Amino acid sequence: MRPYVILNAAMTLDGKIATKTGSSNISGKEDLERVHEIRKECDAIMVGIGTVLADDPRLTVHKIDAKPEDNPVRVVVDSRCRTPIDARITNADAKTIIAGANEYKHEFFKSERYETFKNRGVKFFWSGDERVDLPALMSYLHEEGIETLMLEGGATLNFSMIRAGLIDEIRICVAPMVVGGSNAKTFFDGEGFDLMDDAVKLELKDCYSLGKDLILTYEVLK
Ligand SMILES: NC(=O)c1ccc[n+]([C@@H]2O[C@H](COP(=O)([O-])OP(=O)(O)OC[C@H]3O[C@@H](n4cnc5c(N)ncnc54)[C@H](OP(=O)(O)O)[C@@H]3O)[C@@H](O)[C@H]2O)c1
């Protein structure tokens, strides 16, 4: 058993979720409010360590009316436990789980960050040898009572999650902007597939304008 997973992101028309320098302010005000509504509805929100290092997100519900208990559990997929000691994702606003890989856990146990995070109430889940085992992480989160999970990037984790068949729905905000750049992160990076026949197939379920942006909702076909 695993949570129902909604991948949400904002991209430019050319599929970039950040510029080549890491700038990622893409959504308009209305879209940010939509994102925070999804956060409020979900039991957990998950990002990769690349996103924590690039953006230092809080991953709380703070752009719409919300109570502290509306904040989802925050999950960071971080094999080597590189989450910085002052990362906002580990603050007291919500529960946090760091998912690491077994290879790195003993070294991490000796670090000051481990003690600090433990004292802040951060929980840890260990799986995989050198990289987090995403299906095992999903099962663990489900056992922890997480029925709905919002995946908020980034590009590498998005691809691993969809390749593993762990995404049910995609909600994408397409902003009317073009930034180019072969080194700019796209919606899905990772290894990629060799053939179009291997592509993960989607079905469009909804489509509407929101301010200047376009919101598309897709079901991931199994
Ligand atoms: N526009 C948007 O909606 C949006 C949303 C989120 C992020 N972003 C942007 O996306 C960029 C970050 O993306 P990113 O691709 O660099 O990083 P990412 O996808 O956030 O994190 C990737 C990292 O997760 C770790 N990981 C652990 N297990 C994994 C697994 N099984 N599969 C995949 N990754 C695993 C890996 O590092 P370890 O091996 O060290 O664990 C990997 O390098 C930032 O520029 C951010 O601004 C944009």
Side-chain angles (χ1 to χ4, degrees), residues 29-177:
K29 180 177 177 290
E30 296 91 342
D31 186 55
L32 287 174
E33 288 170 2
R34 182 191 64 83
V35 170
H36 283 243
E37 290 290 354
I38 308 174
R39 287 185 180 181
K40 193 172 170 179
E41 282 161 23
C42 286
D43 300 320
I45 178 166
M46 185 169 95
V47 295
I49 181 63
T51 297
V52 171
L53 296 175
D55 300 342
D56 191 21
R58 277 180 278 178
L59 300 184
T60 53
V61 185
H62 54 267
K63 297 217 185 275
I64 56 171
D65 278 344
K67 303 184 208 81
E69 58 269 28
D70 291 326
N71 285 327
V73 175
R74 301 170 295 190
V75 182
V76 52
V77 182
D78 180 13
S79 318
R80 290 174 276 165
C81 296
R82 291 185 288 152
T83 299
I85 201 158
D86 53 356
R88 298 199 295 178
I89 199 174
T90 66
N91 68 18
D93 293 349
K95 291 182 185 158
T96 303
I97 298 171
I98 294 178
N102 286 308
E103 175 89 15
Y104 305 100
K105 79 177 165 195
H106 297 296
E107 200 53 43
F108 178 64
F109 287 158
K110 294 182 213 152
S111 72
E112 183 197 344
R113 279 180 308 127
Y114 175 60
E115 287 305 319
T116 308
F117 288 157
K118 230 176 35 173
N119 292 337
R120 282 184 206 153
V122 171
K123 287 174 83 172
F124 297 90
F125 173 72
W126 305 99
S127 68
D129 297 332
E130 293 192 2
R131 227 174 191 197
V132 176
D133 178 333
L134 297 171
L137 173 60
M138 291 300 111
S139 303
Y140 162 76
L141 293 176
H142 193 264
E143 280 162 24
E144 289 290 293
I146 289 164
E147 303 271 345
T148 49
L149 180 133
M150 180 183 186
L151 172 62
E152 262 202 63
T156 310
L157 184 60
N158 289 350
F159 185 73
S160 290
M161 285 288 289
I162 203 153
R163 183 181 50 190
L166 297 173
I167 298 178
D168 299 289
E169 192 180 320
I170 296 176
R171 300 186 194 174
I172 181 76
C173 164
V174 183
M177 301 192 277

